[in-house]
Structures are given as structure tokens and as C-alpha cells.
Amino acid sequence: MGETREKRNSQNGSLSQHSRDSEMNPNEKEPKAAVLHKNVGLISGISLIVGTMIGSGIFISPKAVLEGTGAVGPCLCVWAACGVLATLGALCYAELGTMITKSGGEYPYLMEGFGPIVGYLYTWTTVIVLKPSSFAIIALSCAEYTTAPFYPGCTPPPVTVKCLAAVAILLIVLVNCLSVKLASYVQNFFTAAKLLIIIIIVVAGIVLLAQGNTQNLKDTFKGASTSFGSIGLAFYNGLWAYDGWNQLNFITEELKNPYRNLPLAIVIGIPMVTVCYVLVNIAYFTVMTPSELLNSPAVAVTFGDRVLYPLSWLVPLFVVFSTFGAANGSCFTAGRLTYVAGREGHMVKILSYISPKYYTPSPALIFNGILGIIYILPADINTLINYFSFAQWIFYGLTALVLIVMRFTRKDLHRPVKVPLIIPALVVIVSCYLVLAPIIDQPAWEYLYCAIFMFSGLLLYYPFVYHKFGWTRRVMRPITMHLQLLMEVVPPEKTE
């Protein structure tokens, strides 16, 4: 007995000593709260914007923009106009993001301005269709460029491309689940890689222009299209290449000093991308006629074969880097929207849980990855792009309208960034044009299907979100518990 008591006293003494040492040791790490932490700085923010915008679009969309405009001059004008429009839209988001410092992109702004139904319809459409389809499109582009060298002179088998795209999605989801910092490092590396290949293409184009290769840049407006809908579709495909200008608003809560870094990253990142895109398109036209560009299966690869031989293999390699980085950025932000929607009760609760070990919203990331793999199954990338753009620009326009409405209804809110009202008004007008022009010019069933899907979310909203029937909780509680144990995640802590 005495020996046991002495042993216990010795243990208590050692525990007390350990506690005192822990208190005295300033380097001892305190346990972090189970929330998403502010790990994204200015450089990572710029990398996220630039890295998500410069993906597959500049290597795929030049053909579609040229088809819609019909000539080189209007094609270059559309690319420049898309950059201006993306910048104007991003300035609106800079005001909203510094006024309402919540993650989730358009979601918190639509909730604040128009109420929960519009916010829910946004999350329903974006989480279920827009984000995962975007993820799938970029992953497919990455897979196409990866497999192309192994099938010279012919098209890679669709099964091979889709399997490789699925592997890319799984790898990206794994990286994002393991660490926010690791995902940021991956984003920074691949952003640097894609800027390098763009610089190579632009410099090669400047050299060719200096050598007199300007025949495709003369009389550039001859044969231009004047169709209302065709120009709208050209803008669709151009803006698809610029998509990502709003990505930083999805992670506002993880951004260091958002009042400074959010607008600064936007002002630096988007004009940089615009200049790159216009110069890259000019470089393409120094070696390809419009008809050759339209017939090229991969515009950037054709450029590399003609200009950079014997180092032409660099182009497809860096395009793979570019698309992989864009897919990583898309996954990073999509997970945050799904996480916030789950936290607000507009998605199942398990999607708002986070890993207490890695401090990442792993259930939301995994959910987005699963949907992305499902969207790989359809084959036609252009149909997916049109479907994506039609719905996305409805919400871009509504978000710009929120900014106008809140200038009159919420004058009390602090606005570190304040843009002239003409800018959101212009974004609303252009959004209406981009939504309505293709429907009026070339009506297609896909637009109707998109609208039906968006409003079908109300069938789930009233029983599961608005009324919250007791039986739904009884069904979901054991499912949530088992998924929580399986993925080792916990509900986010409430912190001020």
C-alpha cells in the first residue's frame, strides 16, 4: 500500500511538473480550434486567382471564340473585352467580400441581399452541377493533353482519358484533404509553371512578329460574324477561359487580412491574366491562319510543333501542369462553398464537418470529387461549357444586383472598398445579355433543362430546410454519425 501511494504521489508530481513546464514553455503549441484557419496570404491569393483562371481555357477556347466571331480582329477584341468584364465583376466582388467577410463566394451575398431561397437555389445549382462539372471539364482537359503524346496521329481512346481524369480528381482531393498549406504550395508551383509556358509562347510570338509573320494580322475584320447569338457564344467561351476571377471570395475566412489582400490580389491577378491571354492569341495567329487554328485538335500543341521544335514536347507538358493547377484551385474553392452551405443548413450537416487533424473540410471536398467523377462520364466538353456558363452568369448578374440593392437597404455596413454603381449595373446588363442572347438566337433544350434543374431544388428546400420534418432528422442522424466515424471529422467550433 505504502509503495503504491508513493508511486502515485511520484506520478502526480511528475504530471504537475509537466504542466508547469508546459505553462513556462512559450514554444509549446496550444490545441487549435476545430475551424478553418487563416493560412492564405497575398501571394497564395494571387496564385489562386491566376492559377484557376489560366487552366485549359486558353488552350481550348481560342477555337470556339474564333468560330463565334468569324475573324481575327473581333476574336482579339472579345478576348480583351472578356478581361475587362472579369475585372469589373471582380471589383464588385471585392466590395462585397470586404463588406461581408464570409467564405462561400456568391452564397453569403445572395443570402444577405435576397434571402435564404435564392441562396439555397445558388448552392443547389453550384454544389450539385456547376462546381463539379467545372472540375470535370478541367480534369478531362488535363487527361487529354497527358495522353496525346502516347497516341501520335490519332485521338486517344475516351476510356483512357476518362480514367486518367478520374485519377487526377482523386489525387487533387487527397492533397486538399491532407493540408491547406500543401494545397497552397501545389497551387503556387503550378501557377509558376503555367506562367512560364505562357511567357515562352508570348516571347516566341514577339520574335515571329519581328521577323515579319504578320500576314494573319492584316485586314482582321474581314468576314466577321454579326449574329447576336454567335457573339454571345464567343463571349461564353472566352469568359470560360477567364472563369476563376471570383475564386478568392470562396475562401475569405481563410484569407490573411482580407480587407487588404482580397482587393489587391484581384487588381494584380486579373489584368495580368488579360494581358497574357491577348498576347498568347496574337502569338497563335503568327503561325496559324484562322482556318488552321479552327482545324487544330490542340492549338497550343500545334503552335509548339511549328515554333519550338525540337523542344515542342514542353508545351503539352506545361499544359498538363496548367490544367492540373486549375483543377486544384477549383477543388479548393468548391470545398469551401459546400462546407459553408452545410454549416448554414442548406446541405446535409456532415458536409460542414472538418478534420480535427488537418483542419480541412474533407467531407465537402470528397463530395465534390465524387460528383466530379460522375460528370466525367458525358463526353462532350463544349456542351458542358455552355451548360456551365448559362447558369453561372445568372448568379453573377444576381450578385452584382445584390451590390446595387444593398447600397440602399444596408447603408450601415462598413465598406472598405466602394466601387461606382455604374460598374455593377454594367455587369448586370452584360449578364442578362449572356443569358438571353443564345436562347433567343438558337433555342436549345439544354437551357430549359438547366432552368428546370435549378428550380427543382425547391422540392427539397421546403421539406428538408424550411419545415425540417422530424423524420428527416431521424433518418439522417445515424447516417451522419457513421460517416463522422468513418472520416474522423467533427462539427466546426463557433469562434468569434
Side-chain angles (χ1 to χ4, degrees):
M1 283 285 288
E3 190 176 322
T4 305
R5 189 182 296 111
E6 187 178 329
K7 194 173 184 180
R8 191 184 297 118
N9 289 338
S10 174
Q11 288 175 343
N12 289 340
S14 65
L15 285 171
S16 301
Q17 181 64 38
H18 176 73
S19 300
R20 284 195 296 273
D21 290 345
S22 296
E23 288 174 6
M24 292 173 65
N25 186 2
N27 296 322
E28 188 75 25
K29 288 186 178 179
E30 295 182 7
K32 294 181 180 179
V35 294
L36 302 181
H37 297 278
K38 292 183 180 292
N39 290 318
V40 182
L42 177 61
I43 299 299
S44 294
I46 295 171
S47 293
L48 182 64
I49 291 176
V50 174
T52 311
M53 289 176 73
I54 303 176
S56 59
I58 189 59
F59 310 111
I60 292 175
S61 295
K63 291 164 63 175
V65 174
L66 184 59
E67 280 177 353
T69 54
V72 174
C75 176
L76 295 176
C77 289
V78 165
W79 279 105
C82 287
V84 172
L85 183 59
T87 304
L88 295 179
L91 289 174
C92 297
Y93 278 57
E95 176 173 333
L96 289 165
T98 53
M99 182 171 63
I100 303 170
T101 54
K102 292 183 179 179
S103 294
E106 293 86 351
Y107 177 54
Y109 317 142
L110 293 171
M111 285 275 287
E112 188 72 31
F114 296 136
I117 292 180
V118 176
Y120 173 80
L121 290 177
Y122 168 75
T123 55
W124 163 255
T125 308
T126 307
V127 170
I128 303 299
V129 177
L130 299 186
K131 281 292 184 182
S133 69
S134 173
F135 196 8
I137 291 166
I138 302 169
L140 283 167
S141 301
C142 180
E144 284 178 356
Y145 275 92
T146 304
T147 54
F150 299 99
Y151 296 90
C154 63
T155 304
V159 174
T160 305
V161 172
K162 290 176 183 179
C163 287
L164 194 59
V167 170
I169 287 176
L170 291 172
L171 181 60
I172 289 166
V173 169
L174 178 63
V175 166
N176 279 269
C177 285
L178 288 178
S179 170
V180 172
K181 286 188 176 179
L182 178 60
S184 294
Y185 291 149
V186 168
Q187 192 66 30
N188 294 350
F189 172 79
F190 284 106
T191 298
K194 67 185 68 183
L195 287 175
L196 177 60
I197 191 59
I198 280 181
I199 289 169
I200 291 172
I201 292 173
V202 168
V203 170
I206 291 171
V207 171
L208 289 167
L209 283 174
Q211 292 174 348
N213 291 279
T214 59
Q215 61 273 16
N216 297 323
L217 298 170
K218 296 175 180 176
D219 199 13
T220 54
F221 284 83
K222 186 178 180 180
S225 172
T226 56
S227 169
F228 188 69
S230 295
I231 294 172
L233 285 172
F235 268 97
Y236 262 6
N237 288 283
L239 288 165
W240 160 247
Y242 280 96
D243 196 68
W245 51 265
N246 62 333
Q247 294 299 288
L248 215 52
N249 292 72
F250 284 90
I251 61 161
T252 309
E253 293 171 25
E254 295 172 78
L255 191 63
K256 297 174 183 175
N257 191 7
Y259 300 112
R260 170 184 175 270
N261 289 341
L262 178 62
L264 197 56
I266 286 169
V267 168
I268 294 172
I270 299 174
M272 183 196 303
V273 174
T274 304
V275 171
C276 288
Y277 278 4
V278 173
L279 292 178
V280 165
N281 275 278
I282 291 173
Y284 288 156
F285 287 118
T286 60
V287 295
M288 282 180 274
T289 63
S291 59
E292 286 175 332
L293 190 142
L294 290 173
N295 292 324
S296 169
V299 178
V301 173
T302 302
F303 179 88
D305 289 340
R306 295 188 181 185
V307 178
L308 301 177
Y309 187 82
L311 298 176
S312 54
W313 56 269
L314 282 173
V315 174
L317 175 65
F318 276 90
V319 171
V320 170
F321 288 167
S322 177
T323 49
F324 189 88
N328 180 73
S330 177
C331 176
F332 189 89
T333 56
R336 272 57 186 179
L337 172 60
T338 309
Y339 160 79
V340 173
R343 188 177 66 186
E344 297 295 326
H346 283 172
M347 288 284 158
V348 291
K349 277 294 179 186
I350 188 66
L351 295 178
S352 69
Y353 286 21
I354 65 172
S355 167
K357 184 177 181 181
Y358 302 114
Y359 302 102
T360 56
S362 48
L365 292 164
I366 292 168
F367 180 72
N368 183 60
I370 291 169
L371 289 177
I373 291 173
I374 292 171
Y375 278 101
I376 283 173
L377 300 177
D380 189 358
I381 288 183
N382 284 326
T383 301
L384 279 174
I385 289 174
N386 291 338
Y387 189 81
F388 173 87
S389 301
F390 166 74
Q392 189 66 76
W393 276 95
I394 292 175
F395 294 114
Y396 286 158
L398 285 173
T399 305
L401 188 59
V402 165
L403 181 56
I404 298 171
V405 169
M406 291 182 70
R407 283 285 181 90
F408 301 98
T409 60
R410 297 300 304 273
K411 294 180 180 180
D412 56 310
L413 288 176
H414 177 55
R415 291 173 169 84
V417 176
K418 195 170 183 179
V419 299
L421 276 178
I422 187 65
I423 292 178
L426 187 61
V427 174
V428 171
I429 293 168
V430 173
S431 300
C432 291
Y433 168 72
L434 290 173
V435 170
L436 296 176
I439 299 175
I440 294 169
D441 191 66
Q442 292 180 335
W445 286 108
E446 64 188 13
Y447 302 123
L448 179 62
Y449 296 150
C450 181
I452 290 172
F453 177 84
M454 287 169 59
F455 288 103
S456 68
L458 295 175
L459 298 175
L460 296 175
Y461 176 79
Y462 283 100
F464 294 103
V465 178
Y466 185 75
H467 288 292
K468 295 181 181 176
F469 292 127
W471 64 268
T472 60
R473 295 182 183 182
R474 287 193 297 272
V475 169
M476 288 305 302
R477 191 176 290 118
I479 296 173
T480 301
M481 184 182 70
H482 283 94
L483 288 173
Q484 184 180 357
L485 291 170
L486 177 66
M487 292 187 282
E488 297 182 350
V489 291
V490 296
E493 295 179 20
K494 291 183 179 179
T495 57
E496 292 298 326

